[in-house]
Amino acid sequence: LMKDNEIYINSPTQNKKQKIKLSSKILLNPFFFDATLNIEKKDADFLIDDVINMILNSRDEYLENINGNLTLALNNLKNSIIDNGEINFSIRENSVKLKNSVFEIKDIGKITSNFRYYLDEGDLIFSSENIFEIVNKKEFSRKFQLSLKKIKNINKIYFNLEKNIDNNEVFISDIYLNKIENEKAAEEYYLIKNLQTLKNLVRDVLS
């Protein structure tokens, strides 16, 4: 659809089973786009290994003379912790930058993240710094099988998460509670194999 100096490009609405849909508005003069990619019922591996990796590591020649904003709207994710989320990217002068990202943990709180990719001895690593804000402590204690008394004074948990894209290993490290200066709750690297491993780590840190 074209109107005056604007073009609108949207995914067809007939296919109800479509998991990825595009909604975009493009200004022609000067050229600038504002696009939202709605992603539904996909898992974290698809997002980290494929979608976000492709966006942040786009080659310069593909972005020449392209300026705009791209939003990933994540809904009903196949994840035992995160339900929904939104990631915003800015594309300017042959580069892609992460503006902000927020993930919703149903009935508990939210996680804000900053992330990047780097190479370590030939392996591609997804690295993130995260702030987990607990809104509903009662539900948090229930989900992670904790005593409510143990978390009554904990409002935020800071942690780093890394995933090796090549071997699929996930590590959590540098855990702080309420960001008390120079006081880490845990500084080792913990291998997270599954949800139960994560729950055990949370209970150990908060006990």
Side-chain angles (χ1 to χ4, degrees):
L1 175 64
M2 186 169 182
K3 182 180 179 181
D4 299 329
N5 189 44
E6 301 173 354
I7 296 177
Y8 295 85
I9 301 176
N10 301 305
S11 297
T13 58
Q14 293 88 345
N15 187 355
K16 302 297 183 181
K17 296 182 179 179
Q18 189 174 349
K19 298 296 187 295
I20 301 176
K21 296 180 181 179
L22 174 67
S23 174
S24 65
K25 172 183 175 181
I26 302 172
L27 299 178
L28 298 178
N29 188 22
F31 183 88
F32 188 88
F33 74 89
D34 198 345
T36 298
L37 202 59
N38 290 281
I39 300 175
E40 187 169 353
K41 295 181 180 179
K42 293 292 185 177
D43 60 24
D45 290 337
F46 174 76
L47 295 171
I48 294 173
D49 298 3
D50 300 316
V51 179
I52 301 173
N53 182 17
M54 179 186 68
I55 293 171
L56 283 181
N57 295 313
S58 296
R59 296 170 61 185
D60 290 348
E61 56 262 38
Y62 297 147
L63 303 174
E64 188 174 0
N65 299 321
I66 294 179
N67 293 289
N69 298 319
L70 174 63
T71 297
L72 300 184
L74 315 174
N75 300 291
N76 301 314
L77 294 177
K78 292 181 178 179
N79 188 278
S80 54
I81 300 294
I82 296 172
D83 297 286
N84 306 303
E86 184 173 294
I87 307 173
N88 297 289
F89 300 95
S90 173
I91 300 176
R92 301 287 189 281
E93 300 179 356
N94 298 338
S95 68
V96 182
K97 293 183 179 180
L98 173 69
K99 292 172 63 178
N100 54 69
S101 61
V102 180
F103 304 96
E104 177 187 337
I105 300 178
K106 187 177 180 180
D107 300 325
I108 294 178
K110 65 180 182 179
I111 295 177
T112 55
S113 299
N114 187 24
F115 44 77
R116 65 186 179 93
Y117 292 82
Y118 69 92
L119 288 174
D120 181 24
E121 297 182 353
D123 287 349
L124 182 62
I125 308 297
F126 168 83
S127 176
S128 66
E129 297 178 349
N130 309 278
I131 304 172
F132 175 19
E133 183 178 351
I134 304 171
V135 176
N136 188 332
K137 295 181 181 180
K138 184 176 180 180
E139 185 62 23
F140 176 80
S141 65
R142 186 198 66 79
K143 188 174 185 66
F144 289 93
Q145 300 170 346
L146 284 160
S147 167
L148 190 57
K149 293 180 179 179
K150 291 183 178 180
I151 63 169
K152 66 178 181 179
N153 296 320
I154 298 173
N155 301 309
K156 294 181 179 180
I157 300 175
Y158 297 71
F159 66 96
N160 294 345
L161 181 147
E162 290 193 347
K163 179 184 179 184
N164 186 313
I165 306 299
D166 293 279
N167 64 23
N168 219 35
E169 289 184 340
V170 176
F171 290 89
I172 286 180
S173 64
D174 296 329
I175 304 171
Y176 288 87
L177 306 180
N178 295 332
K179 200 62 176 179
I180 300 173
E181 193 67 26
N182 298 323
E183 187 175 330
K184 291 183 183 179
E187 59 183 2
E188 300 100 311
Y189 276 77
Y190 297 92
L191 176 62
I192 306 300
K193 295 182 179 181
N194 49 45
L195 177 59
Q196 189 57 49
T197 306
L198 176 60
K199 286 184 176 181
N200 291 340
L201 173 59
V202 173
R203 286 197 293 269
D204 289 344
V205 169
L206 299 181
S207 60

